Amino acid sequence: MKRGKKLITLLLATVLLASVAFTGCSDKGSASKLPTLKILTDDSDTAKRYAQAFQGMWQKELGIKVEIDSTTFKDRLQRTQEGDFQIVMAGWGPDYNDPMTFMDMWVTDGPFNEGGYANPEYDELIAKAKASPDNDERMDLMAQAEKILIEDMAIGPIYFRYRDYIKNPKLQGEVRRAFAPDPDFYWASIEDGDSITFNIGTEPPDMDPQTTTDTVSFQLLGHTFEGLTRLDQEGKAMPGMAKDWEVSDDGLEWTFNLRDDAKWSDGKPVTAHDFEYAWKRALDPELASQYAYILYYIENAEEYYNGEASVDDVGVEAVDDTTLKVRLALPAPFFDTLVAFGTFMPLNEEYHKSVGDKYASEADKMIYNGPFVMTTWDHDSKVVLKKNPDYWNADEIKLETIEGLMIKDANSALNEFLTGGLDIVGVRGDQKEQVKKEGYELLHYADGSSWYFLFNLEDEILANENIRKALTYSINRQAFVEKILQDDSKVGLGFVPPVMPGKSGSFREEVGDLFQDYDIKTAKKCLEKGIEELGLE
Amino acid sequence: MGRYIGKRFLHSIFTLFIIATVTFILMNLMPGKPFTGEKPIPEEIRKNMEAKYGLDKPIHERYVIYMKNLLRGDLGMSMVHKHRSVGSIIKERFPISASLGLRALSFALIAGLFLGIIAAVNHGKTWDYVSMIIAVIGVSVPSFIIGGLLQYFVGVKLRLFPVTGWESFKHTVIPSFALGLGTLAVMARMMRTSMLDVLNQDYIKTAKAKGLPRRAVVWRHGIRNAILPVVTILGPLVAGITTGTFVVENIFAIPGLGQFLVSSVNQNDYTLIMGLTLFYSLILVTMNFIVDILYGIVDPRITLVERKE
Amino acid sequence: MAEKLLEVNDLKVSFFTYAGEVQAVRGVSFHVNKGETLAIVGESGCGKSVTVHSLMRLIPSPPGKIKEGSIIFDGIDIISLSEKQMNEVRGSKMGMIFQDPMTSLNPTMTISQQIMEGIMRHKDVSKKEAFEEAIRILELVEIPNARKRANNYPHQFSGGMRQRVMIAIAIACNPMLLIADEPTTALDVTIQAQIIDLMKAIQKKMNTSIILITHDLGVVADIADRVNVMYAGEIVESGTLNEIFYDPYHPYTWGLLESVPRLDMAEDKPLVPIPGTPPDLLDPPKGCPFADRCKYAMVICKEQHPEMTSCSKTHKVSCWLTHPDAPKVERPLGGMKIE
Ligand SMILES: Nc1ncnc2c1ncn2[C@@H]1O[C@H](COP(=O)(O)OP(=O)(O)OP(=O)(O)O)[C@@H](O)[C@H]1O
Ligand SMILES: [Mg+2]
């Protein structure tokens, strides 16, 4: 019986192989002239599975041979940064709620431009967009830039990632979003109780707001700290430590008016000085904070970091205890959402000096100004957040306790959820069936990341735009998302993901798709042209 | 005895020194830096960070600095867990791994030896087959599968034990079982072979000829001798089980040291890699040493004293 | 008239292996009198050990099994005893010494422990008394410095000393029968004589009966009162020492006597090993098992098994040559002297 099954599988495989070979043959005309390409990938099973899917599509649709070059995660990152690759699947998640967090990646010689893309026209559009205080104008400029980016096929979009999760039906009001803190329990409540448990996955490696870079720490900081503003349910800026703010007409001068009843958890008032101190600290080259660049919108921030300006030149000034004046280097209409980001959280100088090096090393080596305070930080096992009674908006906060467990394994987390140990848990593609069987409703949210082929434009073959187009157009994204990712990710036919805001709604929806999914006809044409241009005939 | 221990001690120090050096070199050959992540870091910021962690210095200079600190007993700060020293991570986390490991080991030892003895004494009979089937399962099914299955069926379905965490005795049961099963199997098989061998020895016949009841023959004459070869692998087993905790720690979210073994390498946390390697090597060396002494106690033929001429 | 201590009748022992039934002992009958020494001789594999192990029911089972026969020891029917009852006999009424003193002692117990174990098993004594008794026995077997060495482990003794310890273990409870399975084979020549002398001394002191298995006819001559010659699981000839050495009837006995060097042999006389190999005990021949190797074999020898016939009151042999109709053959050996 078993043997019979095996035999049939074997037969099937042979037939499939033969048909693949056959289709390959029919297009052999041009593709065989293309040397074998290489796609760089991690050696994790999922990463390899993705690469194999692309490999198969290129082979089947275009007859292009692509080898899978798998290596360790770190090596992949390093080789990508060093330009030692041809094609690699890469992703980018937003730092703040504006398409610019995606679009300024590809400016010539930009720090994140790993493919080596260089187009003065593109650079100019981005520069103009950055210099414009007018939101509609900025969006138009970025839309034009994105068109050029895809027209040049600097990168080949694949998909926008969406994730699945399930929750205790009694839990209401949690907000999922593309940035930290995600999930955000600010508005959350739970029927017949006031405490919830969720999985933070791992130990937060660094709870110091000015130096940390990871989502776990940012998640906890988002609940225990508050910046000048915080993000509301829609991802827009709402009053935080600042009760209101004004922007000058040129968009460069921002004045934040702090509320006078804001307190640290040790009872001291939160003042504008705490922000000035924290921001300048984040930019201090001695601190060597990785996210210092997030503050580069501020006048002279980059110069100070690079030693070309003094700390006093940095455009942040506490005029008095409740007024913070910020001068920007470029108008950034989204600056009010940017200051909600973890790196911009305040720090009281006096307190900081009193704990020194130990700052943020334990729950009681920090003071908090957010809706919750961290009362327990049991390293490598859990954190406990308790409602901060002195928080200015405490009346609106319904949860008394949030417990964060550190369960790394996705199956264990799901099992913990199933026994009632967690009130919300992420679901992986391969867990969906089981979750449905257990009778839970699958919920989805965009994690804000955009995934694409990063092409090395300095590579002999991939320098050719038509080859890149052929590779991009020939991918069947719909099938990839359904069969390989098996989640609710969306087909990516542009670079900026749908969660990013545009003029009034979503940037992606306003701009529309920039090319067609699975466009074999065009792909083949491009391939032929590319081969001709490369002189491979 | 004293001289022997002294000699072994020097040996161990030298071994550790070699391990430290080799690890230091290999670790630096690994691609990536502690702060290499999905998001590339702007050049000038990266340089600045490297300077802060001393990674801008050439490797031999860093080696000398590390060794100097090591001699002072300073293992440095973790490069990923920004506010934790390597020493404190080991101090806080190892007791939990050790506790998990020892529970698993005691379970594996007691049950393994028992199964092995039962199998040997009932050679060729039902109990022999039963215990050997258990042993085969234990050897061939990896702990993450056993762990996952137990977690689901015993934890989720039957609700007999908690699914994750490390708080009460109940939390320790499934993880210890999952971790110990492989060792149990090794023990059972070894003990069975050894016991069968011993039961065929002449001195067992001597014991029988004295009119000793079977129980006395098996226990007094069989087991003690059969256990000797098992004792020799106890060192590597203890070391293996205490270092091999990471899979089980991961599944059951146990805050032990094992998980850092994997994460430190994945994250290029250089100081932590060094600290853990040295620490675990130290355990291994110590274990082997203890086992040697233990062996001398169990087997009177082995003497640790150098013969006087 | 000597009193019988042990009487074995038609004992059959087989091993049931994958290859089939190995008929290791095929109907042996013999007896041992009180205070006398019986030697069992024969080629390797002829069933000597199996025979004596059967007496103490030490045959590993499975695969071994006593199939038939009776063993009456001191009036007790050994075969019908339960395992528990048998343990009362082992070590107390019968003691056994094995061939290899290197492997017959437990390496992880001190020698006093190993001796005391038997004493405490069979006698109602305290640990201290048992220890004193152990010392006394160690002195009896002439271990020098017995009290000091009692707490030593076996590996701290030489081979000869260890065999003395083995003897001490075997006689610890003053057994009526001492079985020694090749007690000297593993020892060097000078030590052999000492061990045999020790056994003789003990026998004299305690009036023990001894069954001694050995390949060394010199030893036999030295200690034995009577001799059983075994071949292929059977006793082919038995008699007093003089009868076997001076007046052997069975050609196999002749072969044995020829194949070993002896003091009284002419120096130029070559040693003659018995040609051929013993029969396969999985499928023993129906006639005389020695027939294939016997240069005097007649037609009947291969056809029919010879009966055990008495040559004297004490001398028995199982050979067709003793049949009145058989041709007279010249015994190759001259008369032998035994002092
Ligand atoms: N455990 C066993 N399983 C199978 N066969 C056995 C076993 N023990 C003994 N035999 C067989 O029984 C026969 C007699 O063996 P035994 O040990 O009695 O010989 P022996 O006369 O004592 O020889 P040796 O002089 O070499 O000690 C041999 O053919 C041997 O193969
Ligand atoms: Mg023998």
Side-chain angles (χ1 to χ4, degrees):
Chain A
M1 196 51 214
K2 250 185 196 158
R3 186 169 285 184
K5 226 176 187 173
K6 240 185 194 167
L7 207 75
I8 291 169
T9 326
L10 206 79
L11 266 171
L12 256 172
T14 321
V15 171
L16 275 175
L17 268 174
S19 64
V20 165
F22 184 73
T23 8
C25 275
S26 67
D27 279 321
K28 213 175 178 177
S30 46
S32 65
K33 284 159 194 139
L34 203 65
T36 304
L37 300 176
K38 275 188 176 175
I39 181 165
L40 180 65
T41 172
D42 290 0
D43 50 11
S44 77
D45 286 343
T46 27
K48 277 197 280 197
R49 207 147 38 85
Y50 296 172
Q52 278 159 5
F54 301 135
Q55 182 190 40
M57 290 182 191
W58 287 324
Q59 168 75 47
K60 180 168 166 257
E61 306 297 351
L62 302 177
I64 294 179
K65 282 210 167 47
V66 178
E67 248 173 45
I68 294 175
D69 182 3
S70 77
T71 181
T72 60
F73 173 70
K74 285 262 176 172
D75 190 44
R76 190 203 90 208
L77 296 177
Q78 179 156 346
R79 281 179 55 188
T80 309
Q81 274 157 36
E82 286 166 358
D84 177 17
F85 70 101
Q86 284 188 307
I87 312 167
V88 62
M89 187 176 111
W92 182 263
D95 286 333
Y96 47 90
N97 199 15
D98 189 90
M100 190 54 85
T101 187
F102 286 89
M103 291 310 296
D104 72 353
M105 278 180 79
W106 307 112
V107 296
T108 307
D109 294 330
F112 310 118
N113 185 353
E114 294 175 307
Y117 178 59
N119 184 337
E121 208 184 331
Y122 178 89
D123 295 350
E124 204 186 312
L125 287 167
I126 297 299
K128 263 194 199 154
K130 281 194 167 177
S132 166
D134 179 67
N135 198 46
D136 286 5
E137 189 189 26
R138 291 176 64 247
M139 292 301 164
D140 283 335
L141 289 164
M142 283 193 278
Q144 282 177 47
E146 198 196 24
K147 245 173 222 144
I148 291 175
L149 183 76
I150 301 304
E151 189 47 47
D152 288 348
M153 207 47 80
I155 52 158
I158 310 171
Y159 69 99
F160 304 122
R161 190 160 71 187
Y162 281 66
R163 298 192 165 207
D164 300 310
Y165 70 101
I166 49 177
K167 62 170 184 173
N168 178 351
K170 290 184 177 162
L171 171 65
Q172 291 298 328
E174 84 287 355
V175 175
R176 303 302 311 247
R177 55 168 125 241
F179 337 83
D182 167 58
D184 188 342
F185 296 115
Y186 194 89
W187 299 273
S189 62
I190 187 151
E191 240 174 83
D192 341 308
D194 54 14
S195 82
I196 61 160
T197 308
F198 77 119
N199 184 21
I200 58 174
T202 63
E203 160 88 357
D206 181 13
M207 281 290 284
D208 181 339
Q210 273 75 55
T211 55
T212 194
T213 58
D214 68 285
T215 52
V216 175
S217 306
F218 278 137
Q219 210 283 342
L220 297 174
L221 290 172
H223 285 90
T224 53
F225 276 73
E226 185 163 271
L228 293 167
T229 65
R230 68 182 308 123
L231 299 179
D232 67 11
Q233 285 110 312
E234 271 77 51
K236 300 235 159 54
M238 64 175 247
M241 288 291 104
K243 59 180 192 283
D244 51 44
W245 55 94
E246 298 111 45
V247 198
S248 64
D249 289 341
D250 60 1
L252 292 176
E253 189 148 322
W254 291 67
T255 309
F256 293 91
N257 301 308
L258 275 68
R259 57 183 79 250
D260 44 23
D261 57 349
K263 276 194 202 131
W264 288 106
S265 51
D266 67 351
K268 286 198 197 80
V270 178
T271 70
H273 300 283
D274 297 339
F275 283 93
E276 184 186 341
Y277 177 71
W279 294 10
K280 287 182 171 169
R281 171 172 179 257
L283 285 168
D284 187 349
E286 293 248 324
L287 188 71
S289 166
Q290 185 178 333
Y291 269 12
Y293 70 84
I294 294 269
L295 287 89
Y296 282 1
Y297 279 102
I298 299 166
E299 191 177 60
N300 285 326
E302 188 168 5
E303 287 78 359
Y304 166 51
Y305 187 86
N306 291 330
E308 292 149 14
S310 86
V311 65
D312 297 327
D313 299 333
V314 177
V316 195
E317 188 196 351
V319 179
D320 55 45
D321 277 359
T322 57
T323 316
L324 186 74
K325 265 202 167 27
V326 185
R327 271 202 67 80
L328 300 188
L330 293 162
F334 53 86
F335 191 67
D336 54 356
T337 57
L338 191 62
V339 295
F341 189 75
T343 318
F344 289 87
M345 297 299 159
L347 174 58
N348 182 275
E349 183 171 359
E350 200 185 319
Y351 177 79
H352 185 220
K353 299 246 151 88
S354 75
V355 284
D357 271 356
K358 292 271 177 297
Y359 180 60
S361 59
E362 301 291 342
D364 59 2
K365 292 285 183 290
M366 305 174 81
I367 48 173
Y368 310 92
N369 70 328
F372 296 89
V373 292
M374 184 158 75
T375 52
T376 305
W377 181 0
D378 204 346
H379 290 294
D380 309 302
S381 71
K382 71 171 181 192
V383 294
V384 179
L385 312 184
K386 290 265 185 212
K387 181 174 169 174
N388 179 359
D390 293 333
Y391 178 61
W392 65 271
N393 201 16
D395 290 347
E396 296 297 313
I397 308 298
K398 288 162 205 104
L399 293 179
E400 281 296 329
T401 310
I402 303 176
E403 207 169 307
L405 304 184
M406 303 173 196
I407 306 174
K408 286 190 189 125
D409 186 82
N411 284 325
S412 303
L414 180 59
N415 285 339
E416 189 65 59
F417 176 87
L418 293 175
T419 56
L422 292 172
D423 291 302
I424 179 168
V425 74
V427 175
R428 253 181 359 204
D430 61 320
Q431 296 175 324
K432 277 164 78 168
E433 278 311 305
Q434 189 198 346
V435 164
K436 277 186 206 152
K437 248 188 247 155
E438 303 271 357
Y440 285 95
E441 184 199 355
L442 269 181
L443 303 164
H444 326 287
Y445 74 102
D447 78 351
S449 60
S450 174
W451 294 81
Y452 50 88
F453 293 121
L454 178 68
F455 299 118
N456 186 352
L457 304 193
E458 268 134 47
D459 181 79
E460 226 179 303
I461 308 287
L462 292 159
N464 185 287
E465 185 183 309
N466 279 306
I467 299 292
R468 301 199 298 269
K469 280 184 173 160
L471 290 170
T472 307
Y473 293 156
S474 58
I475 292 300
N476 185 346
R477 291 167 183 73
Q478 199 62 46
F480 179 75
V481 168
E482 276 168 23
K483 305 238 163 65
I484 308 295
L485 295 178
Q486 296 180 0
D487 57 20
D488 281 83
S489 293
K490 303 234 171 337
V491 162
L493 298 166
F495 177 50
V496 178
V499 284
M500 288 291 116
K503 287 177 190 167
S504 57
S506 151
F507 179 88
R508 182 78 278 131
E509 276 159 30
E510 285 164 14
V511 174
D513 294 343
L514 298 178
F515 61 99
Q516 206 189 316
D517 184 24
Y518 195 34
D519 183 0
I520 300 300
K521 234 160 95 190
T522 320
K524 280 185 181 163
K525 257 187 241 156
C526 291
L527 180 62
E528 249 161 68
K529 229 163 133 194
I531 286 174
E532 202 184 294
E533 283 162 4
L534 286 169
L536 292 170
E537 271 183 293
Chain B
M1 190 81 171
R3 231 180 99 189
Y4 172 79
I5 290 176
K7 220 163 133 189
R8 277 296 295 259
F9 182 72
L10 288 180
H11 251 270
S12 308
I13 295 288
F14 185 69
T15 311
L16 288 177
F17 170 76
I18 296 288
I19 290 172
T21 307
V22 171
T23 310
F24 197 91
I25 294 168
L26 287 180
M27 174 179 85
N28 278 286
L29 292 178
M30 270 188 342
K33 288 274 157 63
F35 23 82
T36 312
E38 280 284 5
K39 279 197 179 177
I41 304 171
E43 182 74 10
E44 74 279 6
I45 293 183
R46 204 197 71 230
K47 278 190 183 148
N48 207 346
M49 291 172 76
E50 284 178 4
K52 184 177 173 184
Y53 288 96
L55 296 174
D56 54 340
K57 296 194 179 72
I59 175 168
H60 59 268
E61 234 172 89
R62 280 189 282 138
Y63 175 76
V64 172
I65 293 171
Y66 185 84
M67 284 305 184
K68 268 188 190 158
N69 288 337
L70 187 62
L71 280 182
R72 289 205 323 260
D74 179 8
L75 291 170
M77 296 293 287
S78 160
M79 291 187 178
V80 170
H81 299 271
K82 298 275 164 56
H83 305 282
R84 299 168 79 181
S85 70
V86 172
S88 76
I89 290 178
I90 294 174
K91 213 167 82 194
E92 285 168 29
R93 295 297 139 226
F94 181 66
I96 290 177
S97 290
S99 157
L100 171 62
L102 288 180
R103 281 162 203 273
L105 193 72
S106 341
F107 156 69
L109 267 178
I110 294 169
L113 294 183
F114 182 74
L115 270 185
I117 293 166
I118 293 287
V121 172
N122 297 292
H123 184 44
K125 298 186 191 144
T126 319
W127 275 109
D128 190 11
Y129 294 116
V130 170
S131 38
M132 281 311 103
I133 286 169
I134 296 176
V136 168
I137 292 173
V139 167
S140 49
V141 184
S143 57
F144 72 90
I145 294 196
I146 292 278
L149 289 175
L150 288 175
Q151 188 182 56
Y152 186 70
F153 288 105
V154 185
V156 178
K157 289 287 148 195
L158 300 176
R159 304 275 168 115
L160 290 178
F161 294 101
V163 170
T164 65
W166 190 259
E167 279 153 31
S168 63
F169 174 75
K170 268 194 141 184
H171 285 88
T172 67
V173 177
I174 312 184
S176 309
F177 183 83
L179 179 60
L181 197 62
T183 309
L184 178 153
V186 173
M187 289 287 184
R189 292 173 64 144
M190 249 194 110
M191 191 61 192
R192 177 177 177 268
T193 316
S194 175
M195 191 73 187
L196 280 178
D197 183 50
V198 165
L199 289 181
N200 277 324
Q201 293 290 320
D202 289 346
Y203 55 78
I204 294 297
K205 242 190 292 174
T206 308
K208 282 183 184 162
K210 286 181 210 171
L212 297 180
R214 192 172 129 99
R215 206 165 4 94
V217 174
V218 169
W219 282 97
R220 221 176 299 153
H221 294 268
I223 291 170
R224 180 152 179 206
N225 287 292
I227 250 171
L228 286 178
V230 180
V231 171
T232 41
I233 62 157
L234 213 53
L237 271 184
V238 172
I241 220 164
T242 38
T243 53
T245 52
F246 66 89
V247 174
V248 169
E249 284 177 15
N250 205 38
I251 296 176
F252 296 97
I254 297 165
L257 192 57
Q259 46 177 338
F260 286 98
L261 269 180
V262 181
S263 68
S264 67
V265 174
N266 284 341
Q267 296 169 332
N268 289 51
D269 192 344
Y270 294 145
T271 38
L272 191 53
I273 295 175
M274 285 302 291
L276 291 179
T277 312
L278 283 173
F279 179 70
Y280 279 116
S281 310
L282 185 68
I283 291 188
L284 200 87
V285 166
T286 318
M287 273 307 146
N288 279 331
F289 183 50
I290 291 176
V291 164
D292 278 359
I293 292 179
L294 202 65
Y295 202 80
I297 294 170
V298 185
D299 189 344
R301 284 167 295 187
I302 304 224
T303 166
L304 300 180
V305 191
E306 270 163 294
R307 236 173 249 287
K308 285 189 193 98
E309 299 308 310
Chain C
M1 183 59 226
E3 204 185 326
K4 274 184 191 164
L5 174 68
L6 172 76
E7 178 146 30
V8 177
N9 250 311
D10 196 26
L11 180 70
K12 291 183 181 165
V13 185
S14 287
F15 292 94
F16 295 88
T17 66
Y18 290 114
E21 181 187 345
V22 180
Q23 302 176 29
V25 174
R26 304 188 296 141
V28 303
S29 305
F30 63 94
H31 72 275
V32 178
N33 292 329
K34 281 197 174 149
E36 78 165 347
T37 301
L38 171 73
I40 303 179
V41 297
E43 275 176 310
S44 190
C46 67
K48 305 182 296 286
S49 296
V50 173
T51 305
V52 294
H53 278 88
S54 302
L55 303 181
M56 278 181 96
R57 297 239 316 253
L58 285 175
I59 299 295
S61 160
K65 193 170 183 255
I66 297 178
K67 276 174 61 186
E68 264 183 68
S70 69
I71 301 168
I72 307 297
F73 171 76
D74 192 29
I76 312 164
D77 178 4
I78 290 290
I79 291 177
S80 69
L81 291 185
S82 71
E83 189 62 20
K84 214 173 154 194
Q85 291 167 323
M86 191 60 221
N87 274 335
E88 299 296 328
V89 177
R90 291 186 189 128
S92 80
K93 296 188 172 177
M94 292 187 205
M96 189 147 176
I97 307 165
F98 301 99
Q99 172 174 345
D100 190 353
M102 299 312 224
T103 58
S104 300
L105 290 169
N106 185 338
T108 57
M109 285 170 82
T110 62
I111 57 159
S112 60
Q113 279 171 331
Q114 297 189 49
I115 299 168
M116 284 158 65
E117 209 177 27
I119 298 171
M120 289 168 72
R121 167 80 183 84
H122 296 292
K123 289 185 187 167
D124 188 19
V125 292
S126 71
K127 210 165 171 175
K128 218 174 143 211
E129 288 164 337
F131 183 76
E132 289 307 319
E133 179 69 5
I135 302 289
R136 194 186 64 78
I137 295 163
L138 281 173
E139 276 162 359
L140 188 71
V141 297
E142 291 157 23
I143 299 276
N145 244 335
R147 188 169 293 277
K148 234 174 104 190
R149 305 217 61 185
N151 289 324
N152 284 5
Y153 287 93
H155 70 274
Q156 290 162 307
F157 290 84
S158 68
M161 282 295 160
R162 282 193 224 186
Q163 198 60 305
R164 284 173 195 268
V165 173
M166 268 309 289
I167 294 171
I169 291 174
I171 63 166
C173 295
N174 218 340
M176 292 181 262
L177 177 64
L178 183 63
I179 300 169
D181 188 354
E182 306 190 31
T184 56
T185 313
L187 304 174
D188 68 61
V189 191
T190 49
I191 310 292
Q192 284 179 6
Q194 292 176 12
I195 294 293
I196 295 299
D197 286 346
L198 176 65
M199 285 173 64
K200 273 170 43 185
I202 285 166
Q203 181 173 40
K204 212 167 167 189
K205 232 181 239 171
M206 318 207 299
N207 194 30
T208 326
S209 306
I210 295 178
I211 297 180
L212 174 78
I213 296 177
T214 181
H215 290 273
D216 187 338
L217 294 183
V219 169
V220 175
D222 190 11
I223 189 171
D225 299 310
R226 288 187 304 110
V227 181
N228 283 353
V229 180
M230 278 190 78
Y231 183 75
E234 296 172 6
I235 293 174
V236 292
E237 184 167 7
S238 66
T240 61
L241 182 65
N242 279 335
E243 283 162 346
I244 297 297
F245 274 59
Y246 278 117
D247 189 20
Y249 277 78
H250 202 288
Y252 176 66
T253 313
W254 301 344
L256 269 187
L257 294 171
E258 271 187 314
S259 67
V260 290
R262 291 197 329 231
L263 290 172
D264 61 338
M265 229 155 53
E267 275 188 22
D268 54 343
K269 192 147 191 240
L271 288 177
V272 196
I274 307 169
T277 49
D280 183 5
L281 293 178
L282 278 166
D283 183 23
K286 63 174 191 229
C288 170
F290 189 62
D292 274 348
R293 300 168 74 185
C294 181
K295 57 180 171 187
Y296 313 102
M298 304 167 289
V299 181
I300 184 139
C301 295
K302 296 195 182 178
E303 296 290 312
Q304 217 176 317
H305 201 282
E307 296 268 312
M308 195 53 111
T309 43
S310 295
C311 314
S312 77
K313 243 173 134 180
T314 48
H315 196 173
K316 284 181 191 154
V317 68
S318 154
C319 179
W320 282 116
L321 290 176
T322 58
H323 195 272
D325 299 341
K328 291 276 168 275
V329 297
E330 183 77 10
R331 196 173 357 198
L333 305 145
M336 281 176 285
K337 225 188 269 146
I338 298 169
E339 71 261 31

